[in-house]
Amino acid sequence: MKERGKTNAQASVDDRYTQWKSLVPVLYDWLANHNLVWPSLSCRWGPQLEQATYKNRQRLYLSEQTDGSVPNTLVIANCEVVKPRVAAAEHISQFNEEARSPFVKKYKTIIHPGEVNRIRELPQNMKIVATHTDSPDVLIWDVDAQPNRHAVLGASESRPDLILTGHQDNAEFALDMCPTEPFVLSGGKDKSVVLWSIQDHISAAAVDQGSAKSPGSKTPSKAAGEKASESPCIGPRGIYQGHDDTVEDVQFCPSSTQEFCSVGDDSCLILWDARTGTSPTVKVEKAHNADLHCVDWNRHDENLILTGSADNSVRMFDRRNLTADGVGSPIYKFEGHKAAVLCVQWCPDKASVFGSAAEDGFLNVWDHDKVGKKKERVGTRMPNSPPGLFFQHAGHRDKVVDFHWNTSDPWTIVSVSDDCESSGGGGTLQIWRMSDLIYRPEEEVLEELEKFKSHILACSSKS
């Protein structure tokens, strides 16, 4: 009976996917589909390398989470991002789900000590990345300096350029890098949030000149691999305690190295200020009705914070008014997912827009400005869709584990799904940009369509 239920569910996913693929030429300006042999739990944009007439070349960071028959890897790829209004509609939907995309080329492989759970790039120098694995340590990599490795069984692990120590238990997912300074933030199973400055390594190395061990340096955990133990290590600037369960995600305030927030399995959202000590500044109890998986802080309006949870919802908080009667008091609850929300992220191109990815296989794009407005654009919202939801990416057939807006190419997203439930292994990486007719101001779009209509009528009258 259970098997039959699974078969029916799979048939429903396949039908939904077939319907989505037929609409790709209408909904998207560009889309690339890249089949992954091994699932990747994280995907991030790196630096833009080159600008050309019709496309830009950019780094992409992803990983290979293997079954042990070959090593786990951190993958650096070069990606060709086609510019807006260049790709022909009929071409973008003609892709083979089982094939690799011609737009994504593997550039370098780093053999990672353990599986890669999370990747984050340093905004001031996107060639520096941090990774989380099943270990208490955070690993720092200079991807340009790292040698390219051949991932075969028995190959020795690559050596991180720096190891950040300080957690007392595994730190698997919560990871962020500061937008303004080379600071790193992490959360883990030890219920703590830990802060480092990569600058401490540079300072210590200058004092040290490679002789004695620098103050604050510690021995990395053995779980980070024997080879990795040769890497230099630094201890934390601060350890912050206030959660009662695993910390699942952390985020710096966009304009501060000292202010940050965290969420965890205790259903709490906590705001911290390193200048006032290691205790919470504000602790929001029951921010959701279940574990919190993700958090993001708005770069355009620093009062707004998003959280995503196992209760299937996304909530938006105003940090000036976080609680009421001791419990979380969100400005709005966005309820459009049918399974746990795994990732939320504000759009860099419009202050009110954000995306949310979930275990239901959807990546939803919302605009909180549209909530409560009497008139949402005709045709942009299905009759029963939740307020604020204006685009639903349905190109994945399994849980969407990560996505990242591109700050170099507006409205362009990379998203990745772990396809172990639907196809028994591997993953799907998609790079896509919705049609600009969907998000541009209505008057502008109608004016363009009117011109297009006149052009069509003029052409048809001539023929």
Side-chain angles (χ1 to χ4, degrees):
M1 193 69 187
K2 199 172 180 183
E3 273 304 308
R4 186 185 297 172
K6 196 170 180 181
T7 309
N8 290 343
Q10 191 55 49
S12 158
V13 168
D14 291 343
D15 289 348
R16 184 189 86 191
Y17 178 80
T18 304
Q19 184 183 10
W20 168 80
K21 198 171 179 183
S22 69
L23 292 170
V24 164
V26 180
L27 296 175
Y28 295 84
D29 176 71
W30 180 62
L31 181 135
N33 187 91
H34 186 69
N35 178 261
L36 300 170
V37 176
W38 301 107
S40 177
L41 295 185
S42 205
C43 59
R44 301 291 290 184
W45 291 108
Q48 192 174 73
L49 305 172
E50 186 187 349
Q51 291 190 338
T53 310
Y54 298 113
K55 56 192 175 186
N56 299 326
R57 203 156 55 88
Q58 191 166 350
R59 283 276 149 81
L60 194 59
Y61 302 125
L62 54 148
S63 67
E64 291 174 314
Q65 187 185 26
T66 71
D67 61 1
S69 60
V70 290
N72 290 286
T73 66
L74 171 63
V75 175
I76 295 95
N78 286 340
C79 175
E80 290 183 338
V81 182
V82 175
K83 289 191 173 182
R85 302 205 164 197
V86 168
E90 62 273 16
H91 288 163
I92 61 171
S93 59
Q94 289 172 0
F95 59 83
N96 175 2
E97 285 76 10
E98 309 308 316
R100 296 182 183 190
S101 169
F103 297 102
V104 180
K105 297 274 195 311
K106 193 182 279 192
Y107 166 73
K108 187 181 278 187
T109 299
I110 292 168
I111 298 180
H112 197 270
E115 57 189 43
V116 181
N117 296 327
R118 188 66 56 97
I119 305 165
R120 289 292 178 265
E121 70 295 336
L122 184 64
Q124 310 97 62
N125 180 359
M126 294 170 86
K127 293 171 182 176
I128 306 292
V129 301
T131 57
H132 257 328
T133 183
D134 297 339
S135 134
D137 302 327
V138 178
L139 309 181
I140 304 293
W141 308 87
D142 178 342
V143 297
D144 274 9
Q146 283 288 330
N148 188 19
R149 299 292 304 281
H150 189 44
V152 292
L153 187 62
S156 60
E157 290 163 349
S158 297
R159 185 181 142 193
D161 293 277
L162 184 62
I163 296 175
L164 311 183
T165 63
H167 278 292
Q168 301 304 309
D169 200 345
N170 284 1
E172 296 175 357
F173 291 102
L175 185 63
D176 193 33
M177 294 184 105
C178 179
T180 55
E181 297 280 341
F183 280 44
V184 182
L185 199 61
S186 165
K189 287 186 173 180
D190 58 2
K191 307 172 191 173
S192 62
V193 173
V194 185
L195 175 71
W196 297 267
S197 168
I198 297 175
Q199 206 67 40
D200 290 350
H201 164 59
I202 298 159
S203 311
V207 172
D208 223 27
Q209 289 301 314
S211 54
K213 229 183 185 188
S214 61
S217 289
K218 295 182 183 176
T219 306
S221 309
K222 288 290 181 190
E226 293 297 329
K227 189 74 178 169
S229 66
E230 296 169 22
S231 305
C233 316
I234 55 164
R237 286 272 180 107
I239 298 175
Y240 304 86
Q241 289 175 324
H243 282 283
D244 300 316
D245 207 334
T246 300
V247 180
E248 292 286 358
D249 200 11
V250 287
Q251 189 78 34
F252 278 100
C253 172
S255 63
S256 172
T257 56
Q258 304 298 314
E259 293 176 85
F260 39 92
C261 64
S262 58
V263 295
D265 290 345
D266 54 3
S267 304
C268 292
L269 162 66
I270 298 183
L271 269 63
W272 312 84
D273 189 331
R275 294 165 297 197
T276 60
T278 57
S279 298
T281 309
V282 185
K283 184 171 182 175
V284 182
E285 307 267 2
K286 292 188 181 167
H288 284 256
N289 303 322
D291 298 1
L292 272 75
H293 289 154
C294 46
V295 63
D296 198 33
W297 208 314
N298 194 317
R299 277 160 174 63
H300 300 281
D301 181 351
E302 289 181 6
N303 290 313
L304 299 181
I305 295 172
L306 288 173
T307 56
S309 166
D311 67 6
N312 307 353
S313 76
V314 175
R315 297 187 179 187
M316 184 169 72
F317 290 89
D318 185 326
R319 72 163 166 172
R320 295 164 297 187
N321 185 23
L322 287 164
T323 57
D325 303 321
V327 298
S329 177
I331 306 172
Y332 199 77
K333 300 175 186 177
F334 298 88
E335 295 174 326
H337 287 290
K338 294 182 172 64
V341 178
L342 301 178
C343 183
V344 289
Q345 199 194 1
W346 289 103
C347 173
D349 308 300
K350 190 179 178 188
S352 58
V353 171
F354 65 91
S356 62
E359 289 184 0
D360 59 7
F362 287 109
L363 199 167
N364 289 343
V365 183
W366 312 76
D367 186 342
H368 73 75
D369 269 358
K370 295 187 187 300
V371 174
K373 296 269 167 52
K374 284 183 180 173
K375 184 190 171 195
E376 286 193 38
R377 187 187 296 181
V378 178
T380 61
R381 190 151 80 84
M382 295 292 285
N384 300 318
S385 73
L389 179 66
F390 76 95
F391 191 83
Q392 193 166 55
H393 178 64
H396 294 284
R397 286 171 290 176
D398 213 324
K399 57 187 175 190
V400 183
V401 289
D402 202 11
F403 75 94
H404 193 198
W405 294 92
N406 193 334
T407 53
S408 302
D409 267 293
W411 293 89
T412 305
I413 289 176
V414 59
S415 54
V416 69
S417 58
D418 179 345
D419 298 345
C420 59
E421 291 288 321
S422 60
S423 61
T428 303
L429 182 88
Q430 291 183 334
I431 303 155
W432 52 276
R433 186 190 307 116
M434 69 178 84
S435 164
D436 62 16
L437 299 176
I438 294 168
Y439 60 79
R440 276 168 49 214
E442 185 173 358
E443 302 71 34
E444 212 179 277
V445 169
L446 291 173
E447 189 182 333
E448 183 182 326
L449 292 175
E450 198 57 47
K451 281 181 187 168
F452 185 63
K453 180 181 167 187
S454 307
H455 174 68
I456 295 290
L457 290 171
C459 290
S460 58
S461 63
K462 281 174 191 171
S463 61

